Amino acid sequence: MTPNAAHTQADARVRFEWGRAGATLIRRGEIAVVVDVLSFSTAVSVAADRGITVLPYPWARADAAEYALRHDAQPAVHRDDAGPDRITLAPGSLRRAEGVRRVVLPSPNGATISFSLHSAGAQVVAGCLRNAAAVGRWAATRGVGILVVAAGERWPDDTLRPAVEDLWGAGAVIDAVAEALPDGGGAAASAGAPGVCSPEARVARAAFLEARAAADDAGWPALLADLASGRELVAAGHGEDVRIAAEVGGSDVVPLLAGALAEGHGFTPADPAPLTRTVDGHARDPHVGSGERGGIRRATPS
């Protein structure tokens, strides 16, 4: 279904949307920042810090283990099946992993959205509170449009449940982008500079700035633990997930899902080729549209 043109925020360089449906607004070659704070994007950021490649995979597919075997990766298991040597969506499992180079990590929100965005030709980055500053600075230097997607969670009927932690994470990325852009930083973006941040992106940014002020007193772990998603994880015995997600600014690594998907191929690590410049001075990723198989890899901020 074609979205109403008024819903696309098309006149802004930095846009903000929610969930799987919002991700369909991506335009080929743009940067898509997928924000799933609890816990896919946080898990990816921890993995990237340790040099572990993450292969996102749609949650509803039953062949994740076969996919992992085919691509020489360890399949993640459900948190309830976790053991000492098993990888799950829990960021702590990736932090403690030994001898692991590649992981297939399905999730109903962040991984599924990342997979679909990559298939649509986007440059996909995993953003969270841990790496938002680095992701935003990196995205601002690319010279292309940026769609920040708050993954959200799911209600029992599989409809989108907006998640405040993802709103904050998206706002943190948008704040870093705006601060890094000479035409959109600081007060100009907050005041609504046309063509920089859409009104929706500015609202997400404002939500993050308000949360950051509150965190000065309460602390990020307490703020996240008090949200619906945080309470759910703490009650299930996964409070560590919340604490790791609250490591705001704890990572300067930008996890990039590089390379275009060719039919019949999966995600593998892309060559760390540098960005090249077009004649108008904009940055271009040589892997986009190349037909290479890609994987989430480290992209250092520039």
Side-chain angles (χ1 to χ4, degrees), residues 41 167 227 231 269:
S41 297
L167 177 66
L227 299 176
R231 292 184 179 205

Side-chain angles (χ1 to χ4, degrees), residues 41 44-45 48 124-127 131 135 253-257 296-299:
S41 297
V44 171
S45 76
V124 183
V125 174
N131 66 6
V135 166
V253 177
V254 179
L256 172 66
L257 185 59
I296 289 182
R297 63 173 173 86
R298 295 167 67 110

Side-chain angles (χ1 to χ4, degrees), residues 4-201:
N4 187 309
H7 298 165
T8 64
Q9 309 166 47
D11 58 345
R13 177 176 173 188
V14 183
R15 299 174 292 146
F16 168 72
E17 261 303 341
W18 280 98
R20 301 172 192 169
T24 64
L25 297 183
I26 195 67
R27 296 183 285 250
R28 187 169 188 84
E30 284 189 317
I31 293 168
V33 182
V34 178
V35 180
D36 186 352
V37 171
L38 295 173
S39 295
F40 174 77
S41 297
T42 298
V44 171
S45 76
V46 170
D49 288 344
R50 303 198 62 217
I52 299 172
T53 298
V54 173
L55 287 68
Y57 206 62
W59 182 254
R61 299 273 290 271
D63 58 346
E66 177 187 340
Y67 179 82
L69 180 64
R70 196 162 66 243
H71 296 288
D72 190 28
Q74 180 172 328
V77 300
H78 194 276
R79 281 186 175 97
D80 294 341
D81 299 323
D85 300 320
R86 306 302 296 272
I87 303 296
T88 73
L89 261 178
S93 71
L94 286 154
R95 180 166 283 176
R96 289 184 291 272
E98 297 294 339
V100 176
R101 297 184 304 108
R102 296 161 51 76
V103 174
V104 170
L105 191 61
S107 83
N109 302 298
T112 300
I113 292 169
S114 296
F115 197 92
S116 65
L117 281 166
H118 194 279
S119 299
Q123 304 177 67
V124 183
V125 174
C128 60
L129 290 167
R130 295 185 76 249
N131 66 6
V135 166
R137 289 193 303 267
W138 179 86
T141 67
R142 303 298 97 176
V144 297
I146 301 165
L147 177 64
V148 182
V149 180
E153 299 293 339
R154 316 305 299 175
W155 287 112
D157 65 356
D158 201 40
T159 56
L160 172 71
R161 177 174 72 80
V164 172
E165 66 273 10
D166 293 344
L167 177 66
W168 289 347
V173 171
I174 293 164
D175 180 61
V177 171
E179 291 292 342
L181 288 173
D183 55 349
S190 298
V196 179
C197 294
S198 70
E200 290 80 2

